Amino acid sequence: MERDRLLLFLQKLTLNRKNVKEMMDANGSRVLVDLLTLAHMHTSRATVPTQSNVIEASPDMWRESEKEWYYGNLEKERRGPFSLVEMKELYDGGTIHIKTRCWAQGLDGWRPLYTIPQLKWCLVASGAAVMNESDLATLILNMLIRICEYYPSRDADGAIVRPLPRAKRLLSEAHCLPHLVQLLLTFDPILVEKVATLLCLVMQDNPCISRLYLTGVFFFIMMYTGSNVLPLANFLKYTHMKQAFRVDDARSTDIMQQSILGHIMPDAMVCYLENYGAEKFAEIFLGEFDTPEAIWSGEMRRLMIEKIAAHLGEFSPRLHSNTRALYQYCPIPAVNYPQLEEELFCSIYYLRHLCDTQHFPNWPIKEPVKLLKDILDAWKQEVEKKPPTMSIDDAYKVLELKAAAGGYDENKIRKAYFRLAQKFHPDKNPDGRDMFEQVNKAYEFLCSKSSKTGAGPDPQNIVLILRSQSILFGRHKDELHPYKYAGYPMLIKTIRMETGDDALFSKPAALLPAATELAYHTVNCSALNAEELRREQGIEYLEEALSRCTAMLGAGSAPGDMVVQVCTHVTKCYAVAAQFEGCRGKILEKPAIVKELCRSLFFKHLTQLCTIAAECVSAFAVDHDLQTRMFEAGALYHLLLFLFNYDYTLDEGGVAKSSDTNQQAVANSLAKLSVWALSRLGGYLSDAHATPHNKSIQTAVEALLTPYLAKKLSDNEPEKLLKILNSNTENPYLIWDNATRAELAEYLEVEQTRKIRTGECDPSYGAVFVFSVHAKELIVGDVFVRIYNEQPSFIIERAKKFTIDLLEYLASQAQYLYSLLQLEKSGKVPDSSTRLRQVEMALEALRNIIQNNPGVEIQCIGQFRLLFCLLRLNGCDRLQQHALEVIASVTKNLECVNDIAASKVLVYLLLLLNSLPVCQLTVIETLYALTSSTMIIKEAVQKGGLLYLLDLFCNSTNPQVREKTAELFAKMLADKLLGPRVRIILAKFLPGIFMDAMRDSPQTAAHMFDGTHENPELIWNESVRHKVMVTIKRMKHEFYNAQLENPDFLWNLSEEMEVIYAEVRGELMIGDVYLRILVSNPGWVLRKPKEFTSELLDKFIALCSSKQVDGETLEAVTQAIVSLFSAQRNLCDQVPGLGHIPLIFEAMACRNGTVSKAAILVTHQLANSESCIQTMAQVESIAPMKLAMKIRKDMIGLACETINKLFQKEQDELVLQAIKAEMVPYLLGLLDGALPDVENPAGTKAQIVKALKAMARSLKFGEQINAMLSKSTVWSQYKEQMHDLFISDTNTAGYLTGTLHPDQRRRTTGL
């Protein structure tokens, strides 16, 4: 057919934009649209595939044509109406021809048949079509789309083009646009998609867009059954809010009022389209959704299509007969979806689904502030809802329907509506506007829910409004915090009305739980709301609701019961409101609030309510008066009982748990909250959680939980406390087992029940409660003393305080102890006294705390007089022993030692050495530590401490005691101030060597005392030892008895007192050395050789200087010196430093022959030391020697030997002294003489010759000596001879009894 060929050719021509303009000039757009309408004639269109999410399409869309056509061959002839089929038959029969005038609805007048496209191509045209009607329409639509794309509505900068491009303007005209829109009723997927695309292009920035709805396009689009809806969704997104339609009712939201789809689709779908865009809308539109933001399904889509189809009536079939038919727009009543009958839509959410937190937990809310505002508006509208102004009978009357039993179905109502709407439509009947509006109103009323539901507010909707607000405040606290809640008047009114309603507990819609929950959430959100609630008297009305509901609580109450929910929400509200001072004041004005709060805690099977109540107790605890109110209401009884339901194995087991499925987890959580509430109630916490300190509550808690557990409340570690409470524990702070738990639980349950039922309970509220097992224990400073003594290593938290408490306890027992002391003196000591045992335990505990906590001993300062007095309680051995251990434990502290010294109480410790032998070792160790103080040593000396210690050293049978005593003596002897005095006193009882041995080795000192010794330093045997032991023991016994009567009795030792040992009588001792034994054993290694040498030489000088020379003693001393120096020559080297050499030569110059002899003997030994010779050279030594030789001629031989030794060292000073003393002539004279008094004259002369030769070798004075010698005739006889053979090797000091060392023997060489 040429038509189709031409269209294909035009399609190619439109590829060039220039051709498009010429085509539009030739009115081509209208021609193309006329051809488009032929698409309605396509009867063999493919069936739309049916999918699970697609509305099924009929496989046969053809039906009998409507009779639309009229014709007339003659002037003013009008025949019809006829269907299109009938018109074809008339044409084929020749009744009508191409020039016959025809008319149908949609034509602008009667026109010849050949000028009407539908009749032309259906009746007149011949030949085979190249394309079917649908393909033809598709081709034309593609051409139109391309033409519109050539002429966009905006320029390159995005500015709107005005006037509207011609291509779009032509298509927007009345003879084109409706026919384009009505192509949607073909329901061909391709055509529908193309039309939607073309309409989007045409309507972009089109001034005519506001009246687009009159074409019925939105009805046609929503009737489409296919799934390729995205182009349709794009069109709807762009146009649905831009329609200038008339709104006759107030709709739920602004979007619904502005959207042309508001009557067709649910609110949520319209909001989805506007808020989320075309793609998301298309997804929802084709799917099955049941969420807070979208409730949509295939069933709802089918219902919508049915409603629209019913509304369009017979228009769609008419297009098959008359493709130019025009739809006459008529508003559609709102489509009511059964699925949404119970729903309340607000903003963009279905509140029922939004409140369904089980299925939709934490559903995102994009604009919480806006949603809250919309909900408040919806609430206001709901409570102000009025009954409809029109009744069903009135509506029937308007629609000219008779009242019928059971009413009419929608089809009859719709037909009546269409009939009257067409009759009174303003376009046809300008005077019928008012009647037209009444008809619309009646129709919409009968099709709406208003005709089926009762009048007034819907309680279920109000519940949803309240609950949705709670969700908002709960999830978006931060966003809503700055805003004051504006709904309190309605909320408080709701609470007040519901509380006062007699049918409160039988209503199907529970408003009160939802209202009280909202009250909590608003207050929890902002302080502004709390103050607003107070001003609106919300505190008072909530109290009324709480009182009414708590009265209904019972053993059969379940967590889901309305009364339980109300109590829970009101309690939570009060917990939050208590943060604000103004609200707390209101709460205090209502004593029933605290009473009902504690009553809620009684029903422990309602764990959630009890949990909230415990939190409320914590919140109320910020105020001291509220603390007291709760305390007096019995809150402690309830909270403490919850603690015993804790299972620590659940928390420590590592098993996943949930409060929803595990009841023990709930019990554990409640127990922890109860600990927290107790902590705040008593004011145990600090810092950010601090609450007022309440002494009354703390006293009761300490009595009921013990002070130790009560203190744990301040640690803010509930798990640890609860584990201890539910375990068996025995430590110094706590004795806790099944019996104590049962005893406390029984008391709490009894008092709890009494308080709830009678309002009375223990007047002390538990403050005087005492555990049976604790009543038998000694408790000092919250510590069980007996247990602590069994577990001394247990860490005491406040060791210093415990130490002070123990000392205060001992001080409080002072009167009793004094009485005990008096009884002790009378011999009546009550050993079995419980009180005495408690004092003993306290002392033992004091010892333990000091030993295990260094530093606490400082607390004993000022208490030592008390502690030391306890040592006097003879007969109370354990008490004395513990007191001694306490004293011993403090001696490591210097301040304590100084305080003990200042207290002058050492005597009681010394007495213990005799009265309590079992503790002697401890006493000695204590004394050892105390003797760090000189004052202690002084007091020990004055109070006979040395005597007691001597008795232990000498008479004790315990080796360790004796060794420790020796060690103590050594320390006392080492004291710089009193050590010498101690040594003097001890020397009166023991030889000095013992003191030195004590210093070096206490064990050696003890062994020395027990042994038998005879050496130069000690003569010790059994008889001596026995005498010392007996003497000391007797003296100690006498002194102890005297001191026991009078502790101030002092030990006075006579200066003349000295132990005289029979075995050493007549023995000469110098420097603790027996000279007789030293002479017989001169090689004995002395302990203090230098000191002894000094004392020995001192004695020698003293004897030599005495006017009455004791010859016997001088001889013994001289003999000792000679023996000592002969055996231990190294001692000679120390003599120069002692300063005795000048004194020896002074003694040598004495005219007393005994002294001269002794001096020569000593000098002879000293001459063996070069250092001594050097010292002799510095003093006048030759002259005294010459004088002594003259006095004691018998000593000339020894003297000459000494002179020879002196000059052999070539000391020029000695030579000079010899010259001055004329020693050379004297010696030459001796050479010339016979030397009758000398035992060995030849040897003596040999010594003289050697001495003279040594002098002659002097570099300084040798010439002078040689000159003297050369003048002597005697010298010439001896000077050339060797005289060594004349020097005898025998001991020249023959009278000495000691044997000389072999090195000292001389050899004699003759001429």
Side-chain angles (χ1 to χ4, degrees):
M1 182 183 288
E2 292 81 357
R3 178 199 66 185
D4 296 347
R5 302 295 182 185
L6 288 172
L7 285 175
L8 290 171
F9 178 64
L10 284 174
Q11 190 263 342
K12 296 298 183 181
L13 290 177
T14 57
L15 295 177
N16 189 317
R17 183 172 180 177
K18 293 180 180 180
N19 296 329
V20 172
K21 182 177 182 302
E22 294 181 8
M23 187 180 71
M24 289 190 294
D25 293 340
N27 200 22
S29 298
R30 184 169 182 175
V31 173
L32 292 176
V33 171
D34 287 340
L35 291 174
L36 273 176
T37 60
L38 296 178
H40 296 293
M41 303 297 296
H42 189 194
T43 59
S44 60
R45 186 175 289 116
T47 303
V48 177
T50 57
Q51 302 293 336
S52 60
N53 63 339
V54 176
I55 304 300
E56 294 182 5
S58 172
D60 182 9
M61 300 188 64
W62 177 257
R63 58 174 291 174
E64 185 180 356
S65 300
E66 295 287 342
K67 296 182 178 184
E68 290 281 329
W69 292 98
Y70 296 86
Y71 75 91
N73 289 320
L74 302 176
E75 187 68 26
K76 296 185 180 181
E77 182 184 13
R78 180 174 181 177
R79 292 179 180 274
F82 300 100
S83 67
L84 181 62
V85 175
E86 291 173 336
M87 291 290 287
K88 185 173 180 59
E89 291 175 353
L90 291 172
Y91 181 80
D92 292 340
T95 305
I96 60 175
H97 50 83
I98 60 174
K99 292 184 178 182
T100 301
R101 292 180 296 109
C102 300
W103 179 87
Q105 192 266 338
L107 296 177
D108 52 2
W110 290 80
R111 295 167 56 185
L113 184 146
Y114 74 93
T115 62
I116 300 173
Q118 181 180 6
L119 298 179
K120 176 182 177 180
W121 299 115
C122 292
L123 303 181
V124 179
S126 61
V130 177
M131 296 177 287
N132 60 37
E133 290 84 351
S134 295
D135 293 339
L136 179 68
T138 302
L139 179 66
I140 295 172
L141 287 172
N142 286 334
M143 293 168 60
L144 294 176
I145 290 172
R146 183 179 301 113
I147 291 171
C148 289
E149 289 175 348
Y150 285 153
Y151 302 98
S153 298
R154 296 184 180 236
D155 60 18
D157 296 327
I160 298 175
V161 175
R162 284 293 182 267
L164 188 69
R166 184 183 176 193
K168 296 182 179 180
R169 189 166 65 247
L170 292 173
L171 294 177
S172 301
E173 293 177 354
H175 58 267
C176 290
L177 185 60
H179 300 296
L180 286 174
V181 168
Q182 288 170 183
L183 279 177
L184 294 168
L185 292 176
T186 63
F187 301 111
D188 183 283
I190 298 176
L191 294 180
V192 169
E193 187 172 340
K194 298 293 183 180
V195 170
T197 304
L198 177 60
L199 288 175
C200 284
L201 293 171
V202 172
M203 288 296 114
Q204 184 180 11
D205 301 319
N206 194 321
C208 301
I209 192 172
S210 61
R211 297 183 60 81
L212 179 62
Y213 74 97
L214 296 175
T215 64
V217 62
F218 297 100
F219 295 152
F220 307 154
I221 285 179
M222 301 312 297
M223 283 181 65
Y224 179 59
T225 60
S227 297
N228 56 329
V229 296
L230 184 56
L232 302 178
N234 288 325
F235 171 78
L236 293 175
K237 175 67 173 70
Y238 185 74
T239 60
H240 80 110
M241 296 289 287
K242 299 177 181 180
Q243 304 306 303
F245 65 97
R246 182 175 180 181
V247 180
D248 294 325
D249 62 341
R251 303 185 189 178
S252 58
T253 63
D254 293 340
I255 293 179
M256 295 300 290
Q257 292 180 17
Q258 297 174 26
S259 175
I260 190 64
L261 301 176
H263 275 58
I264 303 174
M265 299 184 67
D267 300 31
M269 293 299 291
V270 178
C271 291
Y272 244 98
L273 176 62
E274 181 62 23
N275 297 325
Y276 293 98
E279 291 185 5
K280 189 67 177 178
F281 171 79
E283 177 186 351
I284 300 293
F285 188 75
L286 297 175
E288 302 280 337
F289 285 84
D290 190 17
T291 70
E293 291 189 59
I295 298 178
W296 187 253
S297 63
E299 183 180 353
M300 294 174 70
R301 184 180 178 189
R302 185 178 294 109
L303 174 64
M304 178 190 68
I305 294 174
E306 290 175 357
K307 293 291 184 180
I308 296 174
H311 178 68
L312 294 179
E314 305 299 326
F315 177 71
S316 182
R318 287 174 57 197
L319 291 174
H320 295 289
S321 179
N322 177 15
T323 61
R324 297 287 295 180
L326 291 176
Y327 172 70
Q328 299 296 318
Y329 176 79
C330 183
I332 186 172
V335 178
N336 294 315
Y337 297 91
Q339 295 86 346
L340 303 179
E341 286 184 358
E342 302 298 325
E343 300 292 342
L344 177 61
F345 188 79
C346 187
S347 184
I348 61 173
Y349 302 97
Y350 289 106
L351 298 188
R352 183 175 65 86
H353 277 22
L354 186 64
C355 295
D356 187 358
T357 55
Q358 182 175 1
H359 292 93
F360 306 103
N362 299 317
W363 187 267
I365 298 175
K366 298 176 180 59
E367 299 182 41
V369 177
K370 181 179 181 302
L371 177 58
L372 177 60
K373 181 180 178 182
D374 292 341
I375 291 176
L376 289 174
D377 291 340
W379 190 4
K380 185 177 181 181
Q381 293 174 11
E382 187 68 35
V383 298
E384 294 178 353
K385 188 183 292 183
K386 300 290 191 300
T389 58
M390 179 179 289
S391 66
I392 295 178
D393 292 339
D394 293 338
Y396 284 159
K397 184 177 181 180
V398 171
L399 295 178
E400 299 179 358
L401 294 171
K402 295 180 180 181
Y408 294 93
D409 59 23
E410 288 188 11
N411 288 330
K412 290 183 178 181
I413 294 172
R414 188 178 301 107
K415 288 181 179 180
Y417 164 69
F418 277 119
R419 177 173 54 80
L420 294 174
Q422 289 179 358
K423 179 179 179 180
F424 296 106
H425 196 283
D427 293 342
K428 294 183 178 181
N429 187 355
D431 297 329
R433 177 174 291 278
D434 294 338
M435 191 60 189
F436 180 75
E437 291 179 356
Q438 289 186 32
V439 170
N440 274 335
K441 187 174 182 181
Y443 178 50
E444 289 183 0
F445 170 72
L446 291 174
C447 294
S448 67
K449 290 192 297 182
S450 301
S451 63
K452 303 179 180 64
T453 60
D458 185 348
Q460 294 293 348
N461 286 348
I462 296 178
V463 170
L464 293 177
I465 288 171
L466 294 171
R467 292 184 60 198
S468 59
Q469 291 181 80
S470 297
I471 291 173
L472 261 180
F473 280 102
R475 296 181 188 172
H476 299 277
K477 179 178 179 181
D478 294 338
E479 293 92 331
L480 298 176
H481 175 76
Y483 301 95
K484 182 187 293 186
Y485 181 59
Y488 275 125
M490 291 185 290
L491 178 61
I492 299 302
K493 182 179 180 181
T494 302
I495 294 174
R496 179 168 54 83
M497 292 177 63
E498 289 294 304
T499 303
D501 193 342
D502 294 336
L504 171 63
F505 304 113
S506 59
K507 287 186 172 184
L511 288 176
L512 189 56
T516 52
E517 182 181 13
L518 177 57
Y520 156 68
H521 282 294
T522 57
V523 173
N524 190 44
C525 178
S526 172
L528 297 173
N529 293 338
E531 292 302 315
E532 188 67 17
L533 179 70
R534 178 184 63 81
R535 284 192 290 269
E536 294 288 340
Q537 298 184 332
I539 300 294
E540 293 86 337
Y541 290 123
L542 286 172
E543 183 269 326
E544 293 177 5
L546 179 64
S547 297
R548 185 167 183 189
C549 291
T550 51
M552 300 300 295
L553 292 176
S557 298
D561 292 351
M562 187 193 78
V563 293
V564 177
Q565 293 179 21
V566 172
C567 292
T568 300
H569 298 321
V570 174
T571 304
K572 291 168 69 176
C573 185
Y574 282 144
V576 177
Q579 301 175 24
F580 311 104
E581 186 175 357
C583 295
R584 291 199 297 271
K586 286 289 184 181
I587 293 172
L588 281 170
E589 293 175 6
K590 292 287 185 179
I593 294 177
V594 172
K595 177 183 176 182
E596 301 303 338
L597 173 63
C598 292
R599 178 176 174 81
S600 299
L601 290 167
F602 179 71
F603 301 98
K604 57 185 178 182
H605 67 287
L606 302 173
T607 52
Q608 182 63 26
L609 175 59
C610 291
T611 298
I612 301 303
E615 292 176 348
C616 189
V617 170
S618 300
F620 280 9
V622 298
D623 185 272
H624 188 276
D625 292 336
L626 283 175
Q627 286 179 337
T628 305
R629 287 268 182 93
M630 291 186 288
F631 176 55
E632 294 173 351
L636 286 186
Y637 304 140
H638 307 289
L639 295 174
L640 288 172
L641 279 172
F642 292 137
L643 307 186
F644 300 115
N645 297 326
Y646 181 78
D647 181 5
Y648 66 88
T649 61
L650 179 64
D651 287 344
E652 296 179 357
V655 179
K657 54 189 177 296
S658 170
S659 299
D660 297 331
T661 57
N662 192 316
Q663 290 300 314
Q664 186 57 52
V666 177
N668 283 6
S669 177
L670 179 56
K672 295 175 186 177
L673 282 174
S674 299
V675 171
W676 175 256
L678 288 168
S679 301
R680 289 176 58 83
L681 195 59
Y684 286 96
L685 301 175
S686 58
D687 300 330
H689 306 298
T691 54
H693 177 82
N694 196 307
K695 182 62 178 176
S696 300
I697 296 176
Q698 289 192 3
T699 301
V701 172
E702 289 177 2
L704 295 170
L705 282 185
T706 73
Y708 173 71
L709 293 177
K711 290 176 183 176
K712 292 289 183 183
L713 291 172
S714 62
D715 296 341
N716 197 15
E717 294 180 342
E719 294 84 358
K720 292 184 178 180
L721 172 59
L722 290 169
K723 183 176 181 180
I724 296 174
L725 272 173
N726 292 279
S727 305
N728 291 348
T729 304
E730 186 173 88
N731 63 51
Y733 282 117
L734 184 65
I735 298 177
W736 196 259
D737 53 24
N738 296 336
T740 54
R741 272 193 298 277
E743 185 177 3
L744 176 58
E746 181 182 2
Y747 168 81
L748 293 174
E749 289 172 354
V750 170
E751 296 303 320
Q752 179 193 56
T753 305
R754 283 181 60 200
K755 187 65 178 177
I756 294 298
R757 294 179 178 175
T758 67
E760 299 179 355
C761 63
D762 178 3
S764 70
Y765 302 100
V768 297
F769 178 81
V770 179
F771 291 97
S772 302
V773 66
H774 296 173
K776 303 174 183 179
E777 296 286 340
L778 171 62
I779 304 174
V780 177
D782 300 334
V783 176
F784 294 97
V785 176
R786 176 183 64 84
I787 305 300
Y788 178 64
N789 290 334
E790 294 175 359
Q791 304 174 19
S793 60
F794 186 88
I795 298 176
I796 300 297
E797 295 175 356
R798 301 174 63 187
K800 288 186 178 180
K801 182 181 182 303
F802 182 49
T803 305
I804 294 172
D805 292 337
L806 287 171
L807 291 169
E808 290 177 351
Y809 171 77
L810 292 173
S812 69
Q813 302 299 310
Q815 183 61 42
Y816 165 72
L817 296 174
Y818 176 77
S819 302
L820 196 65
L821 179 61
Q822 301 305 316
L823 291 173
E824 182 267 329
K825 290 182 177 179
S826 63
K828 301 178 181 179
V829 180
D831 292 334
S832 61
S833 171
T834 301
R835 198 168 179 182
L836 178 60
R837 287 200 299 273
Q838 290 181 343
V839 175
E840 292 172 354
M841 286 192 295
L843 285 169
E844 185 179 0
L846 183 59
R847 176 205 65 191
N848 292 333
I849 194 68
I850 292 173
Q851 289 180 350
N852 292 284
N853 298 273
V856 301
E857 64 275 0
I858 199 73
Q859 307 302 321
C860 295
I861 293 178
Q863 304 292 333
F864 288 115
R865 188 170 294 278
L866 169 66
L867 294 174
F868 274 81
C869 285
L870 297 177
L871 300 177
R872 298 182 61 188
L873 297 176
N874 294 333
C876 303
D877 294 356
R878 287 191 61 192
L879 188 146
Q880 287 179 300
Q881 181 176 352
H882 292 319
L884 174 61
E885 290 169 351
V886 171
I887 295 170
S889 63
V890 305
T891 54
K892 296 178 181 179
N893 188 293
L894 182 59
E895 294 182 46
C896 293
V897 172
N898 293 336
D899 191 62
I900 293 172
S903 301
K904 302 294 183 181
V905 290
L906 189 67
V907 61
Y908 303 119
L909 187 62
L910 297 175
L911 289 171
L912 207 63
L913 287 170
N914 189 75
S915 62
L916 196 64
V918 70
C919 293
Q920 287 176 345
L921 192 60
T922 306
V923 175
I924 294 170
E925 292 174 347
T926 304
L927 286 170
Y928 185 87
L930 290 174
T931 50
S932 299
S933 170
T934 301
M935 292 179 63
I936 294 289
I937 298 176
K938 182 179 180 181
E939 186 177 2
V941 173
Q942 292 175 345
K943 296 299 178 68
L946 296 180
L947 184 59
Y948 289 115
L949 294 174
L950 279 169
D951 179 60
L952 292 178
F953 180 75
C954 298
N955 295 307
S956 176
T957 58
N958 188 335
Q960 192 174 4
V961 169
R962 296 178 63 203
E963 292 173 5
K964 289 294 183 181
T965 304
E967 189 175 349
L968 175 58
F969 274 138
K971 186 175 181 181
M972 296 173 73
L973 289 167
D975 187 82
K976 293 181 179 180
L977 294 178
L978 293 175
R981 182 181 177 188
V982 172
R983 189 178 188 88
I984 291 172
I985 295 174
L986 293 181
K988 294 182 179 293
F989 298 91
L990 296 173
I993 192 172
F994 280 100
M995 277 74 89
D996 295 332
M998 290 175 184
R999 179 196 61 197
D1000 298 336
S1001 173
Q1003 296 85 353
T1004 302
H1007 293 158
M1008 284 178 59
F1009 185 87
D1010 295 336
T1012 299
H1013 310 277
E1014 184 169 350
N1015 57 58
E1017 293 182 290
L1018 179 64
I1019 297 177
W1020 191 259
N1021 52 38
E1022 182 62 31
S1023 61
V1024 176
R1025 182 167 50 253
H1026 178 72
K1027 182 177 181 180
V1028 171
M1029 293 169 62
V1030 171
T1031 303
I1032 291 175
K1033 187 173 184 178
R1034 175 181 53 78
M1035 293 178 65
K1036 185 268 301 183
H1037 182 71
E1038 294 173 354
F1039 180 74
Y1040 171 75
N1041 290 332
Q1043 198 171 53
L1044 192 62
E1045 293 295 327
N1046 180 17
D1048 295 330
F1049 187 76
L1050 301 179
W1051 186 43
N1052 293 317
L1053 188 63
S1054 173
E1055 294 293 335
E1056 291 77 17
M1057 184 269 174
E1058 186 175 357
V1059 177
I1060 305 299
Y1061 313 117
E1063 285 72 13
V1064 297
R1065 186 170 298 173
E1067 291 284 349
L1068 178 60
M1069 289 185 65
I1070 296 177
D1072 296 332
V1073 175
Y1074 296 98
L1075 298 188
R1076 176 181 64 81
I1077 300 177
L1078 178 64
V1079 169
S1080 62
N1081 188 10
W1084 177 264
V1085 179
L1086 300 170
R1087 291 177 294 110
K1088 300 178 182 178
K1090 184 176 181 179
E1091 289 79 354
F1092 171 68
T1093 301
S1094 178
E1095 290 188 32
L1096 186 61
L1097 290 175
D1098 288 342
K1099 183 67 173 178
F1100 175 79
I1101 299 300
L1103 290 171
C1104 292
S1105 303
S1106 177
K1107 294 181 179 180
Q1108 298 294 329
V1109 178
D1110 185 350
E1112 184 178 355
T1113 303
L1114 179 59
E1115 182 178 355
V1117 171
T1118 303
Q1119 189 176 7
I1121 293 173
V1122 172
S1123 300
L1124 179 64
F1125 287 166
S1126 298
Q1128 303 183 41
R1129 286 189 174 181
N1130 58 314
L1131 293 179
C1132 295
D1133 295 334
Q1134 299 180 11
V1135 174
L1138 300 176
H1140 291 89
I1141 291 178
L1143 300 177
I1144 292 173
F1145 282 102
E1146 289 180 6
M1148 188 181 293
C1150 178
R1151 301 243 177 219
N1152 188 315
T1154 303
V1155 174
S1156 298
K1157 178 181 178 181
I1160 292 173
L1161 289 172
V1162 172
T1163 304
H1164 177 262
Q1165 295 301 323
L1166 295 176
N1168 292 317
S1169 171
E1170 185 173 353
S1171 59
C1172 290
I1173 294 174
Q1174 292 176 354
T1175 303
M1176 292 177 188
Q1178 305 301 321
V1179 301
E1180 190 67 31
S1181 57
I1182 301 301
M1185 184 68 72
K1186 177 181 176 182
L1187 179 60
M1189 292 170 68
K1190 290 181 179 181
I1191 295 173
R1192 293 298 300 259
K1193 297 185 180 295
D1194 57 333
M1195 297 302 296
I1196 289 176
L1198 196 60
C1200 289
E1201 185 177 349
T1202 302
I1203 291 172
N1204 181 31
K1205 292 179 180 180
L1206 294 178
F1207 289 119
Q1208 289 299 326
K1209 299 302 181 181
E1210 298 181 356
Q1211 294 289 331
D1212 291 339
E1213 290 81 358
L1214 290 175
V1215 176
L1216 179 60
Q1217 288 188 35
I1219 294 173
K1220 292 181 179 179
E1222 297 182 352
M1223 178 59 82
V1224 175
Y1226 176 71
L1227 292 175
L1228 291 174
L1230 291 176
L1231 281 177
D1232 192 34
L1235 303 177
D1237 298 323
V1238 177
E1239 182 179 352
N1240 184 6
T1244 301
K1245 289 183 178 182
Q1247 296 288 353
I1248 293 173
V1249 172
K1250 292 187 67 175
L1252 290 173
K1253 287 183 177 180
M1255 286 190 283
R1257 289 196 296 269
S1258 174
L1259 296 176
K1260 190 173 182 180
F1261 302 104
E1263 293 182 358
Q1264 191 175 352
I1265 296 298
N1266 285 324
M1268 292 180 184
L1269 293 175
S1270 62
K1271 294 179 181 180
S1272 172
T1273 57
V1274 177
W1275 176 246
S1276 60
Q1277 300 175 9
Y1278 290 93
K1279 67 178 180 178
E1280 300 297 337
Q1281 297 180 12
M1282 298 295 294
H1283 301 90
D1284 291 345
L1285 294 177
F1286 292 95
I1287 300 176
S1288 173
D1289 58 356
T1290 60
N1291 188 358
T1292 56
Y1295 69 92
L1296 294 177
T1297 59
T1299 305
L1300 296 179
H1301 193 275
D1303 293 344
Q1304 296 175 318
R1305 293 173 181 168
R1306 300 185 301 277
R1307 294 172 294 136
T1308 305
T1309 302
L1311 295 174

